[in-house]
PDB file of all heavy atoms in Angstrom:
ATOM      1  N   ASP A  17      -1.495   3.678  -9.675  1.00 98.00           N
ATOM      2  CA  ASP A  17      -0.112   3.300  -9.367  1.00 98.00           C
ATOM      3  C   ASP A  17       0.194   3.454  -7.886  1.00 98.00           C
ATOM      4  O   ASP A  17      -0.293   4.377  -7.236  1.00 98.00           O
ATOM      5  CB  ASP A  17       0.861   4.178 -10.179  1.00 98.00           C
ATOM      6  CG  ASP A  17       0.771   3.860 -11.666  1.00 98.00           C
ATOM      7  OD1 ASP A  17       0.584   2.682 -11.991  1.00 98.00           O
ATOM      8  OD2 ASP A  17       0.843   4.812 -12.479  1.00 98.00           O
ATOM      9  N   ALA A  32      21.242   6.291   6.377  1.00 98.00           N
ATOM     10  CA  ALA A  32      22.338   7.067   5.778  1.00 98.00           C
ATOM     11  C   ALA A  32      23.265   7.611   6.868  1.00 98.00           C
ATOM     12  O   ALA A  32      24.468   7.803   6.644  1.00 98.00           O
ATOM     13  CB  ALA A  32      21.768   8.221   4.952  1.00 98.00           C
ATOM     14  N   ASP A  38      27.825  10.752   0.252  1.00 98.00           N
ATOM     15  CA  ASP A  38      26.624  11.049  -0.540  1.00 98.00           C
ATOM     16  C   ASP A  38      25.825   9.786  -0.806  1.00 98.00           C
ATOM     17  O   ASP A  38      26.333   8.840  -1.420  1.00 98.00           O
ATOM     18  CB  ASP A  38      27.031  11.722  -1.862  1.00 98.00           C
ATOM     19  CG  ASP A  38      27.574  13.125  -1.605  1.00 98.00           C
ATOM     20  OD1 ASP A  38      27.052  13.766  -0.671  1.00 98.00           O
ATOM     21  OD2 ASP A  38      28.523  13.531  -2.298  1.00 98.00           O
ATOM     22  N   VAL A  40      21.971   7.944  -2.047  1.00 98.00           N
ATOM     23  CA  VAL A  40      20.756   8.151  -2.843  1.00 98.00           C
ATOM     24  C   VAL A  40      19.726   7.092  -2.467  1.00 98.00           C
ATOM     25  O   VAL A  40      20.048   5.897  -2.446  1.00 98.00           O
ATOM     26  CB  VAL A  40      21.035   8.021  -4.361  1.00 98.00           C
ATOM     27  CG1 VAL A  40      19.767   8.330  -5.152  1.00 98.00           C
ATOM     28  CG2 VAL A  40      22.158   8.924  -4.804  1.00 98.00           C
ATOM     29  N   PRO A  45       8.390   8.221  -1.497  1.00 97.00           N
ATOM     30  CA  PRO A  45       7.128   8.959  -1.675  1.00 97.00           C
ATOM     31  C   PRO A  45       7.247  10.395  -1.160  1.00 97.00           C
ATOM     32  O   PRO A  45       7.983  10.660  -0.209  1.00 97.00           O
ATOM     33  CB  PRO A  45       6.126   8.156  -0.849  1.00 97.00           C
ATOM     34  CG  PRO A  45       6.951   7.459   0.187  1.00 97.00           C
ATOM     35  CD  PRO A  45       8.280   7.177  -0.472  1.00 97.00           C
ATOM     36  N   GLU A  65      17.881  16.220  -0.019  1.00 96.00           N
ATOM     37  CA  GLU A  65      17.147  16.941  -1.073  1.00 96.00           C
ATOM     38  C   GLU A  65      16.665  15.998  -2.162  1.00 96.00           C
ATOM     39  O   GLU A  65      17.334  15.000  -2.452  1.00 96.00           O
ATOM     40  CB  GLU A  65      18.055  17.983  -1.738  1.00 96.00           C
ATOM     41  CG  GLU A  65      18.171  19.295  -0.962  1.00 96.00           C
ATOM     42  CD  GLU A  65      19.532  19.965  -1.191  1.00 96.00           C
ATOM     43  OE1 GLU A  65      20.260  19.497  -2.096  1.00 96.00           O
ATOM     44  OE2 GLU A  65      19.848  20.902  -0.453  1.00 96.00           O
ATOM     45  N   PRO A  79      27.914  14.588   6.614  1.00 97.00           N
ATOM     46  CA  PRO A  79      29.269  15.130   6.765  1.00 97.00           C
ATOM     47  C   PRO A  79      30.123  14.291   7.723  1.00 97.00           C
ATOM     48  O   PRO A  79      29.642  13.320   8.314  1.00 97.00           O
ATOM     49  CB  PRO A  79      28.998  16.525   7.356  1.00 97.00           C
ATOM     50  CG  PRO A  79      27.740  16.364   8.124  1.00 97.00           C
ATOM     51  CD  PRO A  79      26.909  15.336   7.383  1.00 97.00           C
ATOM     52  N   ILE A 121      -3.393   5.973  18.414  1.00 86.00           N
ATOM     53  CA  ILE A 121      -3.702   4.538  18.360  1.00 86.00           C
ATOM     54  C   ILE A 121      -3.120   3.748  19.527  1.00 86.00           C
ATOM     55  O   ILE A 121      -3.393   2.545  19.664  1.00 86.00           O
ATOM     56  CB  ILE A 121      -3.239   3.919  17.010  1.00 86.00           C
ATOM     57  CG1 ILE A 121      -1.727   3.959  16.845  1.00 86.00           C
ATOM     58  CG2 ILE A 121      -3.954   4.577  15.847  1.00 86.00           C
ATOM     59  CD1 ILE A 121      -1.236   3.265  15.569  1.00 86.00           C
ATOM     60  N   ALA A 138      25.074  -0.241  24.964  1.00 98.00           N
ATOM     61  CA  ALA A 138      24.790   1.206  25.068  1.00 98.00           C
ATOM     62  C   ALA A 138      24.384   1.554  26.496  1.00 98.00           C
ATOM     63  O   ALA A 138      23.700   0.773  27.158  1.00 98.00           O
ATOM     64  CB  ALA A 138      23.683   1.592  24.102  1.00 98.00           C
ATOM     65  N   GLU A 172      14.305  -2.537  13.532  1.00 98.00           N
ATOM     66  CA  GLU A 172      15.102  -1.698  12.610  1.00 98.00           C
ATOM     67  C   GLU A 172      16.212  -0.957  13.359  1.00 98.00           C
ATOM     68  O   GLU A 172      17.371  -0.955  12.930  1.00 98.00           O
ATOM     69  CB  GLU A 172      14.165  -0.724  11.877  1.00 98.00           C
ATOM     70  CG  GLU A 172      13.192  -1.435  10.935  1.00 98.00           C
ATOM     71  CD  GLU A 172      12.056  -0.563  10.427  1.00 98.00           C
ATOM     72  OE1 GLU A 172      11.814   0.532  10.996  1.00 98.00           O
ATOM     73  OE2 GLU A 172      11.376  -0.990   9.474  1.00 98.00           O
ATOM     74  N   VAL A 186      22.976 -11.686  17.422  1.00 98.00           N
ATOM     75  CA  VAL A 186      21.836 -12.504  17.002  1.00 98.00           C
ATOM     76  C   VAL A 186      20.593 -11.876  17.627  1.00 98.00           C
ATOM     77  O   VAL A 186      20.535 -11.715  18.850  1.00 98.00           O
ATOM     78  CB  VAL A 186      21.985 -13.974  17.451  1.00 98.00           C
ATOM     79  CG1 VAL A 186      20.765 -14.787  17.008  1.00 98.00           C
ATOM     80  CG2 VAL A 186      23.265 -14.581  16.891  1.00 98.00           C
ATOM     81  N   ARG A 237       2.873  -1.414   0.440  1.00 98.00           N
ATOM     82  CA  ARG A 237       1.818  -2.447   0.474  1.00 98.00           C
ATOM     83  C   ARG A 237       0.560  -1.943   1.151  1.00 98.00           C
ATOM     84  O   ARG A 237      -0.547  -2.427   0.874  1.00 98.00           O
ATOM     85  CB  ARG A 237       2.348  -3.703   1.185  1.00 98.00           C
ATOM     86  CG  ARG A 237       2.658  -3.509   2.631  1.00 98.00           C
ATOM     87  CD  ARG A 237       3.416  -4.656   3.243  1.00 98.00           C
ATOM     88  NE  ARG A 237       3.925  -4.257   4.537  1.00 98.00           N
ATOM     89  CZ  ARG A 237       3.392  -4.635   5.692  1.00 98.00           C
ATOM     90  NH1 ARG A 237       2.352  -5.431   5.720  1.00 98.00           N
ATOM     91  NH2 ARG A 237       3.910  -4.192   6.833  1.00 98.00           N
ATOM     92  N   GLY A 241      -2.858  -1.861  -0.608  1.00 98.00           N
ATOM     93  CA  GLY A 241      -3.981  -2.515   0.050  1.00 98.00           C
ATOM     94  C   GLY A 241      -5.200  -1.606   0.137  1.00 98.00           C
ATOM     95  O   GLY A 241      -6.342  -2.046  -0.037  1.00 98.00           O
ATOM     96  N   PHE A 243      -6.024   0.739  -1.966  1.00 98.00           N
ATOM     97  CA  PHE A 243      -6.644   0.792  -3.293  1.00 98.00           C
ATOM     98  C   PHE A 243      -7.328  -0.542  -3.641  1.00 98.00           C
ATOM     99  O   PHE A 243      -8.348  -0.569  -4.326  1.00 98.00           O
ATOM    100  CB  PHE A 243      -5.598   1.157  -4.345  1.00 98.00           C
ATOM    101  CG  PHE A 243      -5.072   2.571  -4.213  1.00 98.00           C
ATOM    102  CD1 PHE A 243      -3.720   2.837  -4.426  1.00 98.00           C
ATOM    103  CD2 PHE A 243      -5.900   3.619  -3.868  1.00 98.00           C
ATOM    104  CE1 PHE A 243      -3.225   4.132  -4.296  1.00 98.00           C
ATOM    105  CE2 PHE A 243      -5.417   4.913  -3.739  1.00 98.00           C
ATOM    106  CZ  PHE A 243      -4.075   5.171  -3.951  1.00 98.00           C
ATOM    107  N   VAL A 260       3.447  -5.443  -4.503  1.00 94.00           N
ATOM    108  CA  VAL A 260       4.070  -6.773  -4.536  1.00 94.00           C
ATOM    109  C   VAL A 260       3.075  -7.768  -3.949  1.00 94.00           C
ATOM    110  O   VAL A 260       2.755  -7.705  -2.748  1.00 94.00           O
ATOM    111  CB  VAL A 260       5.389  -6.789  -3.729  1.00 94.00           C
ATOM    112  CG1 VAL A 260       5.994  -8.189  -3.722  1.00 94.00           C
ATOM    113  CG2 VAL A 260       6.364  -5.761  -4.278  1.00 94.00           C
ATOM    114  N   VAL A 268      -5.328 -10.102   0.547  1.00 98.00           N
ATOM    115  CA  VAL A 268      -5.990 -10.682  -0.633  1.00 98.00           C
ATOM    116  C   VAL A 268      -6.848 -11.877  -0.212  1.00 98.00           C
ATOM    117  O   VAL A 268      -7.975 -12.045  -0.690  1.00 98.00           O
ATOM    118  CB  VAL A 268      -4.950 -11.062  -1.713  1.00 98.00           C
ATOM    119  CG1 VAL A 268      -5.565 -11.932  -2.791  1.00 98.00           C
ATOM    120  CG2 VAL A 268      -4.329  -9.797  -2.313  1.00 98.00           C
ATOM    121  N   ALA A 276     -14.818 -10.770  -3.271  1.00 98.00           N
ATOM    122  CA  ALA A 276     -14.228  -9.958  -4.352  1.00 98.00           C
ATOM    123  C   ALA A 276     -13.360 -10.862  -5.222  1.00 98.00           C
ATOM    124  O   ALA A 276     -12.769 -11.827  -4.735  1.00 98.00           O
ATOM    125  CB  ALA A 276     -13.386  -8.838  -3.754  1.00 98.00           C
ATOM    126  N   GLY A 284       0.484  -5.872 -11.974  1.00 96.00           N
ATOM    127  CA  GLY A 284      -0.316  -5.543 -10.806  1.00 96.00           C
ATOM    128  C   GLY A 284      -1.357  -6.577 -10.449  1.00 96.00           C
ATOM    129  O   GLY A 284      -1.265  -7.742 -10.837  1.00 96.00           O
ATOM    130  N   ASP A 290     -17.697  -7.678  -6.516  1.00 87.00           N
ATOM    131  CA  ASP A 290     -18.831  -8.347  -7.172  1.00 87.00           C
ATOM    132  C   ASP A 290     -20.009  -8.453  -6.215  1.00 87.00           C
ATOM    133  O   ASP A 290     -20.110  -9.384  -5.439  1.00 87.00           O
ATOM    134  CB  ASP A 290     -18.351  -9.757  -7.598  1.00 87.00           C
ATOM    135  CG  ASP A 290     -19.337 -10.400  -8.531  1.00 87.00           C
ATOM    136  OD1 ASP A 290     -20.255  -9.667  -8.968  1.00 87.00           O
ATOM    137  OD2 ASP A 290     -19.210 -11.615  -8.770  1.00 87.00           O
ATOM    138  N   ASP A 297     -14.422 -12.807   9.574  1.00 98.00           N
ATOM    139  CA  ASP A 297     -13.768 -12.393  10.816  1.00 98.00           C
ATOM    140  C   ASP A 297     -12.301 -12.126  10.526  1.00 98.00           C
ATOM    141  O   ASP A 297     -11.681 -12.829   9.728  1.00 98.00           O
ATOM    142  CB  ASP A 297     -13.923 -13.487  11.890  1.00 98.00           C
ATOM    143  CG  ASP A 297     -15.385 -13.631  12.323  1.00 98.00           C
ATOM    144  OD1 ASP A 297     -16.180 -12.706  12.008  1.00 98.00           O
ATOM    145  OD2 ASP A 297     -15.734 -14.665  12.935  1.00 98.00           O
ATOM    146  N   LEU A 314     -10.421  -2.282   5.809  1.00 98.00           N
ATOM    147  CA  LEU A 314     -11.246  -3.472   5.582  1.00 98.00           C
ATOM    148  C   LEU A 314     -12.571  -3.357   6.327  1.00 98.00           C
ATOM    149  O   LEU A 314     -13.617  -3.842   5.857  1.00 98.00           O
ATOM    150  CB  LEU A 314     -10.519  -4.749   6.016  1.00 98.00           C
ATOM    151  CG  LEU A 314     -11.231  -6.014   5.581  1.00 98.00           C
ATOM    152  CD1 LEU A 314     -11.030  -6.271   4.084  1.00 98.00           C
ATOM    153  CD2 LEU A 314     -10.796  -7.230   6.381  1.00 98.00           C
ATOM    154  N   THR A 328     -10.764  -8.209  15.339  1.00 98.00           N
ATOM    155  CA  THR A 328     -10.004  -8.161  16.591  1.00 98.00           C
ATOM    156  C   THR A 328      -8.661  -7.475  16.336  1.00 98.00           C
ATOM    157  O   THR A 328      -7.898  -7.920  15.468  1.00 98.00           O
ATOM    158  CB  THR A 328      -9.800  -9.585  17.135  1.00 98.00           C
ATOM    159  OG1 THR A 328     -11.084 -10.204  17.226  1.00 98.00           O
ATOM    160  CG2 THR A 328      -9.151  -9.566  18.500  1.00 98.00           C
ATOM    161  N   PHE A 336      -9.582   1.878  17.159  1.00 97.00           N
ATOM    162  CA  PHE A 336     -10.952   1.862  16.637  1.00 97.00           C
ATOM    163  C   PHE A 336     -11.548   3.269  16.608  1.00 97.00           C
ATOM    164  O   PHE A 336     -12.762   3.448  16.622  1.00 97.00           O
ATOM    165  CB  PHE A 336     -11.839   0.938  17.498  1.00 97.00           C
ATOM    166  CG  PHE A 336     -11.610  -0.542  17.275  1.00 97.00           C
ATOM    167  CD1 PHE A 336     -11.555  -1.409  18.360  1.00 97.00           C
ATOM    168  CD2 PHE A 336     -11.472  -1.062  15.998  1.00 97.00           C
ATOM    169  CE1 PHE A 336     -11.369  -2.786  18.166  1.00 97.00           C
ATOM    170  CE2 PHE A 336     -11.274  -2.427  15.796  1.00 97.00           C
ATOM    171  CZ  PHE A 336     -11.213  -3.293  16.881  1.00 97.00           C
ATOM    172  N   VAL A 357     -17.648  -5.656  16.508  1.00 98.00           N
ATOM    173  CA  VAL A 357     -18.597  -6.486  15.749  1.00 98.00           C
ATOM    174  C   VAL A 357     -19.288  -5.567  14.747  1.00 98.00           C
ATOM    175  O   VAL A 357     -19.916  -4.575  15.141  1.00 98.00           O
ATOM    176  CB  VAL A 357     -19.610  -7.169  16.675  1.00 98.00           C
ATOM    177  CG1 VAL A 357     -20.658  -7.927  15.844  1.00 98.00           C
ATOM    178  CG2 VAL A 357     -18.899  -8.110  17.633  1.00 98.00           C
ATOM    179  N   VAL A 361     -24.724  -3.249   6.743  1.00 98.00           N
ATOM    180  CA  VAL A 361     -25.940  -2.507   6.374  1.00 98.00           C
ATOM    181  C   VAL A 361     -25.984  -2.424   4.845  1.00 98.00           C
ATOM    182  O   VAL A 361     -24.932  -2.516   4.193  1.00 98.00           O
ATOM    183  CB  VAL A 361     -25.938  -1.084   6.998  1.00 98.00           C
ATOM    184  CG1 VAL A 361     -26.011  -1.150   8.523  1.00 98.00           C
ATOM    185  CG2 VAL A 361     -24.712  -0.289   6.541  1.00 98.00           C
ATOM    186  N   VAL A 369     -17.143  14.049   8.546  1.00 98.00           N
ATOM    187  CA  VAL A 369     -16.470  13.186   9.523  1.00 98.00           C
ATOM    188  C   VAL A 369     -15.082  13.736   9.832  1.00 98.00           C
ATOM    189  O   VAL A 369     -14.570  14.591   9.090  1.00 98.00           O
ATOM    190  CB  VAL A 369     -16.361  11.735   8.991  1.00 98.00           C
ATOM    191  CG1 VAL A 369     -17.699  11.040   8.971  1.00 98.00           C
ATOM    192  CG2 VAL A 369     -15.700  11.712   7.608  1.00 98.00           C
ATOM    193  N   TYR A 403      -0.223   9.125   2.464  1.00 97.00           N
ATOM    194  CA  TYR A 403      -0.728   8.944   1.099  1.00 97.00           C
ATOM    195  C   TYR A 403      -0.357  10.168   0.273  1.00 97.00           C
ATOM    196  O   TYR A 403      -0.630  11.291   0.693  1.00 97.00           O
ATOM    197  CB  TYR A 403      -2.246   8.740   1.103  1.00 97.00           C
ATOM    198  CG  TYR A 403      -2.689   7.467   1.776  1.00 97.00           C
ATOM    199  CD1 TYR A 403      -2.910   7.419   3.139  1.00 97.00           C
ATOM    200  CD2 TYR A 403      -2.850   6.287   1.041  1.00 97.00           C
ATOM    201  CE1 TYR A 403      -3.298   6.252   3.779  1.00 97.00           C
ATOM    202  CE2 TYR A 403      -3.229   5.100   1.662  1.00 97.00           C
ATOM    203  CZ  TYR A 403      -3.450   5.094   3.028  1.00 97.00           C
ATOM    204  OH  TYR A 403      -3.824   3.922   3.664  1.00 97.00           O
ATOM    205  N   GLU A 404       0.216   9.902  -0.887  1.00 96.00           N
ATOM    206  CA  GLU A 404       0.653  10.990  -1.771  1.00 96.00           C
ATOM    207  C   GLU A 404      -0.553  11.496  -2.561  1.00 96.00           C
ATOM    208  O   GLU A 404      -0.964  10.855  -3.529  1.00 96.00           O
ATOM    209  CB  GLU A 404       1.687  10.420  -2.737  1.00 96.00           C
ATOM    210  CG  GLU A 404       2.978  11.164  -2.788  1.00 96.00           C
ATOM    211  CD  GLU A 404       3.980  10.520  -3.745  1.00 96.00           C
ATOM    212  OE1 GLU A 404       3.790   9.352  -4.121  1.00 96.00           O
ATOM    213  OE2 GLU A 404       4.932  11.207  -4.087  1.00 96.00           O
ATOM    214  N   ILE A 417     -13.952  13.280  -6.175  1.00 98.00           N
ATOM    215  CA  ILE A 417     -13.216  13.588  -4.937  1.00 98.00           C
ATOM    216  C   ILE A 417     -12.355  14.823  -5.162  1.00 98.00           C
ATOM    217  O   ILE A 417     -11.772  14.989  -6.242  1.00 98.00           O
ATOM    218  CB  ILE A 417     -12.339  12.368  -4.519  1.00 98.00           C
ATOM    219  CG1 ILE A 417     -11.617  12.624  -3.197  1.00 98.00           C
ATOM    220  CG2 ILE A 417     -11.360  11.975  -5.613  1.00 98.00           C
ATOM    221  CD1 ILE A 417     -10.970  11.368  -2.603  1.00 98.00           C
TER     222      ILE A 417
END
Side-chain angles (χ1 to χ4, degrees):
D17 292 324
D38 291 325
V40 184
E65 278 150 11
I121 65 176
E172 294 167 345
V186 179
R237 65 191 167 104
F243 292 141
V260 178
V268 167
D290 192 10
D297 293 345
L314 190 75
T328 306
F336 285 137
V357 175
V361 295
V369 289
Y403 294 87
E404 233 178 343
I417 183 169

